């Protein structure tokens, strides 16, 4: 097991370098010059632009730029933003905690409610509550997140006045609740459906009959035998979902004025801030890599037949 | 069976518990709490976002930073809502020959740190701004002044430390000598770039930009990056544009819609822009708090004079295209009253505005006739380049539709994904037909809308319109002895331009803003920005 983990961690290095290079060269290939965009619609002095470009090293060829970027990154330097002159590390340090908070909330919500609903429905396939769940999740899946977002904002902030319409500058933990629920509801629908299907299927498995024949108490049959075997597809989904929750929150962040990673990366992309985009993206790649490792390890915990050497 | 039941209960309990914490939890942050905690008494909040870069007057050329600079710094003079000069820090700005200007400062002005504002505060600051080494974006604003080229040569290092045209006479007066006559130079002095700087600036300009010390109506308090900028009214301020509130809060929002929601719920006092989704209903929502004001900005369609389509075209054709656009209907429907139909190349808020008559009026029959007379558009088709992230698609489509219906000339949009890409194509002379041009007044004189856009050597003349006659007429205006003469000469330029059609003026911008019930006296200045010092809390 230990060796396996080490091997996987080492494998991350080429994946990391490869993917950052891809993103870096994509940013390089995009049309639109960030330094020119500084000047907007006004008159400007071309000489000034050239000197800013030279100072930032933007006039060098792609490979040289990438090499110096990677070199700095290894020393913990994420570079500086072109427009604001702020270190990218500052931007990351401001955006990530917010996003992580939001993600943890949304993720907990997804797991608890999603798995819970899935279990309730899965134990009695084709019953009324099962049909009810299928309908509910269908609604959640087909409703675009901005519709749900505006609806929740209207109901909870303007009708019932339980929360503020948007998240204030220094958000208390509770302020994140509403955006987190909106963000998590799509995943929740998938998790509930996966759990429900997997449970319903495994109910008919041989080991279930054996367990019942052995005379085990129902709680143990469902809680240990059935749940454990049914969780594998759900865990797979949840693993990749963390990454999606972190980056895919642009719409939700926009509605509730949450200043997280989604908005930061969008803004940087919009302004062609290469260093910021690559910096944030490489951290997200790391998150993806680590969660997929975690998921693989969880497989072994859930299913003893899976072994890693 | 018992097992199943208990499992059901467990999950049920989880859901109930979660729902309870969700509602109960969010209860903690009711809007009354956060309102009291966020904003000091008597302050006014507005959705001004994060300035692009540290706040140095000559390095700020975008709207958010502009708001902060205007609050923190005061220049020699400013403009009222009619575009007339109002002296602020200056006692007088005078000239006899439009070339040598004498500035006298008012007595007793202080920076926020107590340092006196002297002639030297201005001269040193302007020399620093203009110096090529300091890479200030607005350095070219000083290029009228004698000696600028030594400080900011085309190529290479600066050859001097100061502009020879700036001379300090005594503590409260200095002279500005220009390279050539610029009769409207005093109007240029109202631009935010011409602000003075205190001595502390030169110790560490970068740190200063994050904690600016100015001479303006507001004193800097704090800047929480990407969240909030807060400033309080400066008690010792002596100018006519004193703060009528106790302070300002600039709040940064991810979207204009989110800001609008906060305005409705009472968490925000002013939104400077109402987003397209809220435009149809904002007047009902806000009542008297809804603002809709025209300002000195023009949007136009600019033909690329190097393109295959417009290379040797007869100006009559462009006139025809202009008359084929039904500006009234498009501004009222597609644009939701966010624009006013244009009457000429310059907006009504600037000195020297005149209506050009026919060429901006919708007249399908005349349009068709002019296009036929002029020999038509090559290929009977042209494109309009725009950036698709700026909400331009709808009106470009409508304009094309209008032209097609009126004249039969086919017109299609040429979208670029975003503004940087759009600009790049313009700079590299790659526009295939026309492009969407926009210009907002830097100073309220017609020159600003004509010289900067249509002089053959102007940097922003991306259509590469080049006409000797026009250049000569402009030179005549620049050589005039008084502002009145100069403005008149430029009116001639504008009349001539109507025959040459370097662009098709479409409409003037409007500010669609709104404010809540907690504040009053919210007004808009000539370039469309909210006048924050005048806002009064109720």
């Amino acid at each position: 097991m230990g060796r396996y983990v080490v091997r996987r961690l080492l494998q991350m290095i080429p994946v990391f370098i490869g993917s950052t290079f891809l993103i870096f060269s994509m940013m390089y290939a995009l049309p639109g010059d960030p330094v020119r965009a500084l000047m907007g619609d006004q008159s400007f002095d071309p000489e000034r632009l050239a000197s800013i470009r030279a100072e930032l090293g933007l006039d060098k060829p792609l490979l040289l730029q990438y090499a110096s970027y990677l070199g700095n990154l290894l020393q913990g330097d994420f570079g500086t933003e072109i427009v604001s002159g702020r270190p990218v590390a500052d931007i990351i340090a401001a955006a990530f905690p917010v996003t992580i908070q939001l993600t943890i909330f949304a993720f907990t919500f997804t797991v608890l409610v999603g798995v819970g609903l899935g279990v309730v429905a899965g134990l009695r396939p084709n019953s009324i509550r099962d049909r009810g769940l299928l309908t509910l999740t269908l609604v959640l899946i087909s409703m675009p997140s901005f519709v749900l977002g505006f609806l929740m904002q209207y109901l909870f902030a303007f009708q019932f006045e339980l929360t503020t319409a948007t998240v204030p500058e220094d958000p208390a933990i509770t302020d994140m609740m509403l955006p987190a629920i909106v963000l998590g509801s799509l995943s929740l629908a998938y998790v509930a459906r996966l759990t429900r299907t997997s449970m319903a299927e495994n109910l008919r498995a041989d080991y279930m009959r054996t367990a019942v024949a052995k005379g085990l108490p129902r709680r143990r049959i469902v809680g240990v035998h059935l749940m454990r075997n049914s969780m594998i597809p759900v865990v797979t989904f949840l693993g990749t979902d963390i990454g999606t929750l972190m980056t895919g929150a642009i719409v939700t962040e926009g509605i509730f004025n949450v200043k997280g990673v989604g908005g930061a990366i969008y803004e940087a992309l919009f302004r062609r801030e290469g260093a910021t985009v690559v910096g944030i993206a490489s951290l997200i790649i790391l998150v993806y890599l680590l969660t997929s490792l975690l998921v693989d390890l969880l497989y072994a915990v859930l299913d003893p037949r899976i072994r890693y050497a | 069976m018992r097992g199943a039941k208990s499992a059901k209960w467990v999950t049920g309990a989880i859901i109930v518990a979660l729902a309870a914490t969700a509602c109960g939890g969010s209860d903690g942050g009711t809007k009354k709490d956060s309102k009291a905690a966020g904003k000091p008494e008597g302050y006014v909040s507005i959705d001004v976002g994060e300035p692009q870069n540290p706040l140095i007057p000559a390095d700020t050329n975008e709207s958010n930073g502009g708001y902060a600079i205007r609050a923190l710094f005061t220049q020699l003079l400013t403009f009222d809502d009619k575009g007339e000069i109002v002296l602020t820090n200056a006692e007088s700005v005078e000239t006899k020959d439009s070339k040598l200007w004498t500035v006298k400062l008012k007595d007793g002005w202080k920076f926020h740190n107590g340092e006196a504002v002297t002639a030297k505060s201005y001269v040193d600051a302007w020399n620093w701004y203009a110096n090529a080494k300091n890479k200030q974006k607005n350095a070219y604003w000083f290029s009228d002044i004698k000696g600028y080229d030594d400080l900011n040569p085309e190529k290479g290092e600066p050859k001097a430390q100061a502009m020879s045209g700036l001379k300090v006479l005594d503590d409260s007066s200095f002279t500005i000598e220009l390279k050539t006559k610029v009769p409207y130079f005093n109007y240029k002095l109202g631009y935010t770039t011409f602000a003075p700087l205190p001595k502390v600036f030169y110790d560490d300009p970068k740190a200063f930009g994050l904690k600016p010390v100015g001479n303006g109506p507001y004193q800097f308090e704090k800047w929480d990056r990407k969240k909030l900028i807060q400033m309080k009214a400066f008690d010792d301020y002596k100018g006519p544009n004193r703060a009528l509130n106790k302070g300002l809060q600039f709040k940064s929002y991810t979207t204009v819609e989110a800001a609008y929601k906060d305005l409705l719920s009472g968490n925000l006092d002013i939104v400077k822009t109402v987003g397209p989704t809220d435009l149809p209903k904002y007047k009902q929502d806000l009542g008297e708090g809804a603002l809709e004001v025209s300002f000195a900005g023009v949007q136009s369609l600019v033909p690329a004079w190097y393109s295959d389509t417009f290379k040797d075209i007869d100006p009559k054709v462009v006139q025809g295209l202009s008359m084929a656009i039904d500006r009234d209907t498009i501004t009222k429907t597609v644009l939701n009253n966010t624009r006013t139909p244009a009457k000429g190349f310059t907006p009504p808020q600037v000195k020297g505005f005149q209506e050009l008559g026919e060429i901006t009026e919708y007249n399908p029959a005349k349009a068709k006739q002019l296009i036929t007379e002029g020999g038509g558009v090559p290929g009977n088709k042209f494109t309009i380049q725009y950036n698709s992230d700026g909400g331009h698609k709808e009106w470009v489509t409508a304009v094309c539709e209008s032209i097609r219906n009126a004249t039969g000339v086919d017109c299609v949009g040429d979208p670029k994904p975003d503004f940087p890409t759009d600009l790049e194509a313009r700079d590299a002379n790659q526009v295939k037909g026309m492009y969407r041009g926009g210009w907002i007044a830097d100073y309220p004189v017609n020159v600003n809308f004509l010289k900067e856009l249509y002089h053959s050597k102007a940097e922003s003349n991306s259509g590469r319109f080049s006409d000797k006659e026009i250049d000569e007429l402009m030179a005549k205006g620049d050589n005039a002895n008084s502002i009145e003469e100069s403005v008149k000469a430029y009116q001639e330029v504008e009349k001539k331009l109507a025959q040459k059609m370097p662009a098709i003026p479409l409409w003037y911008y409007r500010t669609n803003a709104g404010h809540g019930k907690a504040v009053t006296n919210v007004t808009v200045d000539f370039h469309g920005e909210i006048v924050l010092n005048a806002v009064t809390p109720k």
Side-chain angles (χ1 to χ4, degrees):
Chain A
M1 189 83 151
R3 278 184 113 187
Y4 174 78
V5 173
V6 172
R7 207 171 63 217
R8 281 288 297 267
L9 287 175
L10 285 178
Q11 277 170 2
M12 282 184 193
I13 297 171
V15 174
F16 183 75
I17 293 180
S19 47
T20 48
F21 179 70
L22 270 180
I23 300 169
F24 198 90
S25 40
M26 282 178 202
M27 283 308 291
Y28 186 85
L30 274 183
D33 174 357
V35 182
R36 169 63 182 89
L38 285 180
M39 304 299 171
D41 252 345
Q42 295 193 358
S43 333
F44 64 97
D45 179 357
E47 190 70 8
R48 179 97 331 106
L49 296 191
S51 69
I52 296 177
R53 247 176 242 135
E55 190 185 35
L56 293 163
L58 291 173
D59 50 348
K60 296 199 189 91
L62 169 65
L63 281 175
L64 262 177
Q65 279 193 38
Y66 180 67
S68 77
Y69 177 79
L70 206 62
N72 288 336
L73 194 62
L74 288 179
Q75 295 161 33
D77 177 8
F78 281 92
T80 37
E81 267 204 329
I82 299 164
V83 174
S84 59
R86 273 178 94 189
V88 175
D90 274 12
I91 293 161
I92 291 175
F96 261 85
V98 180
T99 293
I100 287 171
Q101 218 180 31
L102 187 65
T103 309
I104 289 176
F105 264 128
F107 189 73
T108 322
F109 173 70
T110 309
V111 172
L112 291 182
V113 183
V115 172
L117 288 175
V119 169
V120 172
L123 283 176
R124 287 277 196 83
N126 298 322
S127 59
I128 290 179
R129 63 186 185 203
D130 182 32
R131 303 251 179 242
L133 174 89
L134 287 178
T135 319
L136 173 75
T137 53
L138 186 71
V139 170
L140 285 180
I141 289 172
S142 46
M143 181 155 18
S145 60
F146 65 88
V147 176
L148 189 66
F150 281 129
L151 192 70
M152 300 276 257
Q153 193 179 41
Y154 174 72
L155 286 178
F156 289 99
F158 288 100
Q159 291 306 110
F160 308 143
E161 305 207 348
L162 288 171
T163 63
T164 48
T166 60
V167 175
E169 294 94 65
D170 298 305
I173 294 180
T174 48
D175 291 323
M176 288 289 188
M177 210 65 91
L178 202 58
I181 290 174
V182 172
L183 183 61
S185 17
L186 180 65
S187 313
L188 172 128
Y190 286 121
V191 168
R193 287 192 155 210
L194 272 174
T195 314
R196 179 246 163 217
T197 311
S198 171
M199 291 280 261
E201 208 163 278
N202 284 336
L203 268 180
R204 296 193 295 270
D206 289 344
Y207 64 83
M208 284 298 291
R209 211 177 317 140
T210 314
V212 175
K214 273 201 295 190
L216 288 178
R218 173 89 183 172
R219 193 178 310 160
R220 196 165 162 76
I221 296 175
V222 175
V224 178
H225 293 251
L226 184 59
M227 281 283 268
R228 205 162 145 176
N229 282 292
S230 306
M231 278 301 110
I232 288 184
V234 180
V235 166
T236 314
F237 175 79
L238 285 174
T240 52
D241 198 43
I242 288 191
T244 319
L245 287 178
M246 284 187 81
T247 52
I250 299 178
V251 175
T252 318
E253 283 181 2
I255 295 171
F256 293 101
N257 196 32
V258 179
K259 293 186 186 85
V261 164
I265 204 168
Y266 175 78
E267 193 189 329
L269 194 64
F270 183 75
R271 289 206 202 137
R272 302 287 187 277
E273 293 279 4
T276 318
V277 173
V278 182
I280 296 179
S282 41
L283 279 179
I284 289 165
I285 292 169
L286 272 182
V287 172
Y288 264 109
L289 289 173
L290 287 174
T291 48
S292 70
L293 174 62
L294 204 68
V295 168
D296 284 351
L297 293 179
L298 268 177
Y299 285 161
V301 176
L302 289 171
D303 188 347
R305 283 172 302 182
I306 300 173
R307 267 181 233 285
Y308 300 117
Chain B
M1 238 21 231
R2 265 183 60 210
K5 245 189 189 143
S6 62
K8 188 168 74 185
W9 281 115
V10 170
T11 45
I14 291 172
I15 295 167
V16 170
L18 205 88
T21 45
C23 303
S26 36
D27 227 336
T30 50
K31 63 180 185 186
K32 286 122 213 149
D33 293 347
S34 62
K35 208 170 167 185
K39 200 175 72 174
E41 184 70 30
Y43 277 48
V44 171
S45 59
I46 179 172
D47 68 324
V48 172
E50 173 87 352
Q52 272 188 359
N53 46 275
L55 297 168
I56 297 173
D59 213 18
T60 300
N61 62 354
E62 40 82 43
S63 164
N64 291 339
Y67 266 102
I69 297 286
R70 271 195 303 280
L72 296 166
F73 291 88
T74 295
Q75 293 75 29
L76 294 170
L77 47 89
T78 184
F79 307 104
D80 61 16
D81 51 359
K82 289 186 191 71
E84 294 296 330
I85 287 183
V86 176
L87 294 172
T88 43
N89 199 169
E91 177 82 46
S92 65
V93 179
E94 281 164 355
T95 185
K96 290 202 180 86
D97 56 1
S98 301
K99 203 173 169 194
L100 186 71
W101 296 76
T102 312
V103 176
K104 238 193 171 88
L105 297 178
K106 280 182 187 154
D107 276 343
W109 277 57
K110 285 194 172 66
F111 285 105
H112 302 148
N113 60 0
E115 188 188 321
V117 181
T118 62
K120 203 168 172 316
S121 321
Y122 277 93
V123 171
D124 286 355
W126 295 3
N127 280 326
W128 193 91
Y129 298 148
N131 194 321
K133 269 196 303 200
N134 300 323
K135 299 197 186 71
Q136 297 294 295
K137 280 188 224 122
N138 299 338
Y140 69 91
W141 272 91
F142 299 92
S143 59
D144 291 330
I145 301 172
K146 197 175 158 193
Y148 172 82
D149 297 323
D150 294 334
L151 205 54
N152 203 326
E154 290 261 318
K155 286 240 145 45
E157 292 288 299
K159 285 180 264 192
Q161 282 305 309
M163 291 182 276
S164 54
L166 294 178
K167 282 202 185 75
V168 176
L169 299 180
D170 55 54
D171 261 2
S172 64
S173 53
F174 63 102
T175 56
I176 311 164
E177 191 184 341
L178 306 180
K179 284 185 211 159
T180 54
K181 284 184 193 171
V182 183
Y184 42 88
F185 184 72
N186 50 343
Y187 279 81
K188 286 192 166 189
L189 290 173
Y191 193 63
T192 46
T193 298
F194 288 92
L197 290 171
K199 290 198 187 86
V200 285
F201 170 83
Y202 306 97
D203 299 340
D204 186 354
K206 227 176 169 176
F208 178 91
L210 298 177
K211 251 186 126 188
V213 177
N215 61 335
Y218 292 94
Q219 184 173 358
F220 178 84
E221 279 189 322
K222 65 171 177 182
W223 183 355
D224 207 352
R225 297 307 289 265
K226 291 209 171 170
K227 288 181 187 159
L228 179 83
I229 296 180
Q230 189 175 310
M231 41 189 96
K232 66 171 184 207
F234 179 45
D235 294 334
D236 283 342
Y237 189 72
K238 300 217 158 57
N241 51 342
R242 249 190 101 79
L244 298 178
N245 43 54
K246 293 214 172 96
L248 300 176
Q249 273 196 333
F250 293 174
K251 288 172 142 188
S252 162
Y253 284 89
T254 46
T255 57
V256 281
E257 286 80 17
Y260 186 76
K261 287 269 154 58
D262 251 15
L263 176 75
L264 289 186
S265 70
N267 268 329
L268 185 72
D269 293 328
I270 305 172
V271 287
K272 66 182 169 82
T273 325
V274 175
T277 38
D278 300 311
L279 272 178
K281 61 182 172 65
Y282 87 110
K283 284 186 190 155
Q284 282 105 301
D285 284 351
L286 300 174
E288 281 179 12
L291 295 176
E292 186 181 88
V293 188
S294 284
F295 66 90
V298 180
Q299 201 161 51
S300 39
L301 292 180
V302 188
W305 294 96
Y306 51 80
S307 66
D308 291 338
T309 318
F310 292 102
K311 215 187 298 173
D312 300 307
I313 208 154
D314 190 324
K316 271 189 185 166
V317 178
V318 187
Q319 281 179 336
L321 292 175
S322 174
M323 290 164 75
I325 301 167
D326 186 356
R327 293 173 177 75
D328 285 324
T329 313
I330 296 174
T331 48
K332 276 197 196 104
T333 54
V334 181
L335 287 165
N336 257 318
N337 286 321
T338 56
R339 310 275 203 283
T340 312
K343 302 282 181 215
F345 292 99
T346 56
Q349 293 81 1
V350 303
K351 242 187 187 2
F353 163 75
Q354 58 189 355
E355 293 195 7
L356 292 182
E358 235 189 10
I359 62 151
T360 57
E361 274 155 28
Y362 180 56
N363 187 344
K366 187 91 191 276
K368 213 167 179 174
Q369 184 200 336
L370 280 171
I371 290 176
T372 326
E373 275 174 29
V377 178
N380 205 29
K381 186 180 173 177
F382 70 98
T383 57
I384 299 176
Q385 175 180 310
Y386 63 96
N387 50 316
S388 51
D389 61 351
H392 303 301
K393 186 176 180 230
E394 290 73 17
W395 68 255
V396 169
T397 314
V399 164
C400 278
E401 193 66 31
S402 179
I403 291 177
R404 203 178 304 125
N405 288 342
T407 65
V409 175
D410 199 14
C411 155
V412 285
D414 177 16
K416 300 284 170 197
D418 50 24
F419 196 42
T421 319
D422 180 44
L423 283 176
E424 194 171 72
R426 290 192 215 172
D427 289 349
N429 291 355
Q430 283 167 352
V431 179
K432 290 189 210 83
M434 296 199 192
Y435 70 86
R436 168 202 77 87
W439 189 265
I440 294 169
D442 299 313
Y443 51 94
V445 183
N446 61 354
V447 183
N448 188 229
F449 281 83
L450 302 171
K451 196 179 173 189
E452 308 275 3
L453 291 174
Y454 309 121
H455 192 279
S456 61
K457 290 210 177 77
E459 206 64 61
S460 303
N461 176 1
S462 307
R464 314 295 170 213
F465 173 78
S466 169
D467 190 287
K468 263 210 184 113
E469 202 184 341
I470 296 286
D471 285 0
E472 277 162 17
L473 280 172
M474 286 188 184
K476 217 167 115 195
D478 291 341
N479 273 323
N481 285 321
S482 69
I483 169 103
E484 288 76 21
E485 247 178 77
S486 174
V487 166
K488 232 184 201 147
Y490 269 94
Q491 283 183 322
E492 291 309 309
V493 173
E494 194 181 5
K495 278 183 195 138
K496 201 86 206 165
L497 284 176
Q499 292 162 25
K500 313 236 173 199
M501 290 303 277
I504 299 176
L506 290 174
W507 30 68
Y508 308 125
Y509 291 104
R510 280 182 189 175
T511 289
N512 294 77
H515 66 85
K517 294 201 168 60
V519 294
T520 155
N521 199 20
V522 182
T523 49
V524 176
D525 68 8
F526 76 97
H527 47 29
E529 317 280 26
I530 310 272
V531 185
L532 287 174
N533 61 284
V535 177
T536 343
K538 268 184 203 162

